[in-house]
Structure formats: structure tokens, C-alpha cells
Amino acid sequence: AMAQGPNFKNEVELGTDNDKFIAYTNTDRNYTYGINAALRWNPEKDAFLTKLFSNKKKSYYGLGVSLKAYTPNYLNEPTTNDSNIERPFAGWSYITFESTYTFQHSFFRMGVETGILGPDSQAGRIQNWFHETISNDASVDWDGQIPNQLGINLTGSYAQKLYSLGWVDSYGRVDASVGNIFTYVRPQLNLRVGKFNGIGESVANQNGMLAPAKTSEFFLEYGLGWKLSAFNATVQGNLFNENNRTSKEINNTVFLMHLGLNFSYKRFGVLFKYQYGTGEFERTQVHRFGALRLLYRFR
């Protein structure tokens, strides 16, 4: 039987993304690293927005802080080859506030991201500190990176279960962003194999906190989809300032694929995802990176 209320009230997440996670990728390129932390909590009382969704099963809020770094393919040998067209350096540091509402076979999430794109994001400084003190790599010259600007994106996600048969299920998910840093729509089709909760209570979608405390999950997830992108400031610069625009035109359609291993037991969760994507702009190389997330839940 399903527990009526969530057994945990709070969840902490720590995460990192890096193309170094992929054994046969020895370059930093495109989206080269990310670090993030998040706190999620269950509201004691329904707030205004939660009252809008009177048929919801459960809801929670999330507050996060993230840093993402984007670089050219700078560890490759210099080449005049057209396939090696470079993207600019860019760093994006931001905070996120989200609210999530789960239903019988679906969930809806909306949020806002606000932060700074450019040198003040500290992405270059942190990368060079890591290269010098931990990984023993060469320092990287971040001169000429995308200039500073304030950014704000409104984000949304909707996921719907499609088909379920014991140890296998599938669901569709659409993520969207509208803002001066990222504007895109990203539809995906996902397949899960193993032992898992419904998508409204699964770690695969950050909803594990809502599951009964004694449940466990261990499953593989495969997803594929498209990112239909209208604007990407990490490549194109400032939407509102012609002087801070680059001449680069982005690919409006990017193919995405991921394979993830997800584990959750009582208070703990561990997620590892391999992410593959075609280039963000014309003639750039495909990109692969790994994403690791550690979760801890408490009352």
C-alpha cells in the first residue's frame, strides 16, 4: 500500500558533471564541467501555487546553486580542419528556485534561474585551480570569454507515464526554458528497466523524497530526444547588446541521448548518467559527458 504522506521532509543533493568521466574522451570541450548543490523540502502548508493544483498528490520546493563552464575543444592539436570550429569560453553561475507537483501518473515542475554569465561566474578561476591543484593539467587562458551579463530563465518540465509492465516502463518528458541565457524546448522519450517507483516518486526525476521511506530503487534508464533551441547566450553572447554578440549561429536542433544508472535506498541515492549530444552550433563535434548525483534525505 502507498504511504499517505512522504516519510522524509527534506533532501540534499550534491552533483558534478564532467567530460573526464568518459574514459575515451580526453579533451575538455563544449560543456566541460558543472557543479551543483540543492535542497528540497516539503511545505507544511499549501502555498498559493499549490492550491492551484487541487488534484495533486504531493508537492515540494527546491532551491539550488549551480556553476556551468563551457570551453572550446582546447586540448586538441591546432588544426585548420573545419570540423574543429570553436565555441567561445563561457561560465554561468546561478541559483534556482523550483516547485514540483505530482499527480497519479505525471508531474509538473516550474522554476526560475537567475545568475551571472561571464568572468564573474568564476568558472575559469575554478577550472584553473582544479587543474593546478588536483588534476595536474595545464592552465587555461579564459581571455576573450563571453562578457558579464545578468541572466534570468523561466523553466518548466512536464512528464507523463506512457506504458508500464512490471520491471519495464516508459514515459515522455518535455523541458523548456525561456530567458536571456537559454531559450529552448526539449522533448524526450525515456525507458526504464529494473526496480523503480512511479515517475512522481522516483530519483530519476528528483522526486525520490516523495517515496515511502522504506522503498528502494535500482534501475537503468535510457532516453533520447531533441533540443529545439532558439537562443544560447553561452555561444551567442548578450541577447540585448549587439556589441556583446558573437557572429556564431547555433544549431536550432540538437539530438540528445542518455543512459543512466539510478540507485536509491532509504535515505540515500546515487545517480550516474552518460549524456551524449550533437553539437550546439554548426560543424562542432559531438559531445559526451558524465553526471554524478549524490542524495541524502532526512526528516
Side-chain angles (χ1 to χ4, degrees):
M2 294 291 289
Q4 285 307 301
N7 293 42
F8 295 115
K9 292 284 186 193
N10 306 278
E11 180 176 70
V12 174
E13 174 183 313
L14 295 175
T16 181
D17 305 333
N18 207 303
D19 42 16
K20 288 275 198 288
F21 282 139
I22 309 303
Y24 53 86
T25 301
N26 64 353
T27 58
D28 286 323
R29 72 160 77 108
N30 292 353
Y31 173 45
T32 185
Y33 79 87
I35 44 180
N36 70 284
L39 172 67
R40 304 185 184 101
W41 70 95
N42 214 273
E44 292 295 323
K45 296 193 177 100
D46 275 2
F48 166 70
L49 283 171
T50 34
K51 290 174 183 166
L52 291 179
F53 301 104
S54 53
N55 61 334
K56 71 177 188 314
K57 283 178 68 183
K58 295 172 183 174
S59 64
Y60 68 90
Y61 298 121
L63 187 64
V65 57
S66 303
L67 166 63
K68 294 187 173 180
Y70 303 85
T71 64
N73 184 18
Y74 59 78
L75 290 186
N76 265 11
E77 292 300 311
T79 174
T80 55
N81 188 335
D82 264 357
S83 69
N84 206 32
I85 305 294
E86 301 289 29
R87 59 154 297 138
F89 285 95
W92 167 230
S93 288
Y94 60 100
I95 56 173
T96 307
F97 178 75
E98 292 179 326
S99 52
T100 302
Y101 309 94
T102 67
F103 305 91
Q104 191 65 38
H105 300 298
S106 62
F107 72 85
F108 173 66
R109 178 175 296 139
M110 54 188 174
V112 59
E113 301 171 345
T114 182
I116 189 147
L117 177 73
D120 286 352
S121 71
Q122 304 301 321
R125 183 173 294 179
I126 289 170
Q127 184 179 44
N128 279 327
W129 171 84
F130 187 87
H131 279 200
E132 288 159 20
T133 59
I134 296 176
S135 68
N136 250 354
D137 289 318
S139 289
V140 182
D141 182 2
W142 275 67
D143 283 351
Q145 66 177 298
I146 297 280
N148 281 327
Q149 63 166 310
L150 291 172
I152 186 164
N153 301 314
L154 301 177
T155 62
S157 301
Y158 177 76
Q160 172 71 50
K161 172 181 149 183
L162 299 175
Y163 180 77
S164 179
L165 182 69
W167 290 69
V168 179
D169 84 342
S170 62
Y171 67 95
R173 175 168 171 164
V174 179
D175 300 294
S177 173
V178 177
N180 68 316
I181 306 298
F182 299 116
T183 296
Y184 62 79
V185 176
R186 189 173 61 215
Q188 282 190 320
L189 185 64
N190 300 279
L191 178 75
R192 299 190 295 173
V193 179
K195 182 179 188 294
F196 45 77
N197 298 330
I199 58 173
E201 295 187 346
S202 178
V203 288
N205 297 292
Q206 304 174 347
N207 296 332
M209 184 181 80
L210 301 181
K214 290 185 167 58
T215 60
S216 60
E217 294 184 278
F218 184 73
F219 62 94
L220 275 169
E221 180 179 80
Y222 176 75
L224 55 104
W226 297 93
K227 181 180 177 187
L228 309 171
S229 191
F231 186 75
N232 181 343
T234 72
V235 176
Q236 295 176 287
N238 194 315
L239 180 64
F240 303 115
N241 183 343
E242 287 297 325
N243 297 330
N244 286 344
R245 291 291 295 274
T246 71
S247 59
K248 294 193 185 297
E249 287 299 310
I250 58 169
N251 276 338
N252 298 113
T253 307
V254 176
F255 171 75
L256 297 172
M257 179 182 77
H258 74 264
L259 182 66
L261 183 63
N262 301 270
F263 173 76
S264 177
Y265 180 71
K266 294 185 178 174
R267 294 179 179 273
F268 298 97
V270 180
L271 321 178
F272 185 78
K273 182 188 287 187
Y274 164 84
Q275 183 78 51
Y276 171 94
T278 55
E280 284 279 348
F281 62 99
E282 208 51 54
R283 293 178 300 190
T284 194
Q285 292 172 314
V286 299
H287 187 50
R288 312 170 185 92
F289 67 90
L292 177 67
R293 299 286 181 269
L294 304 175
L295 307 172
Y296 178 74
R297 296 179 273 272
F298 55 98
R299 297 188 199 287

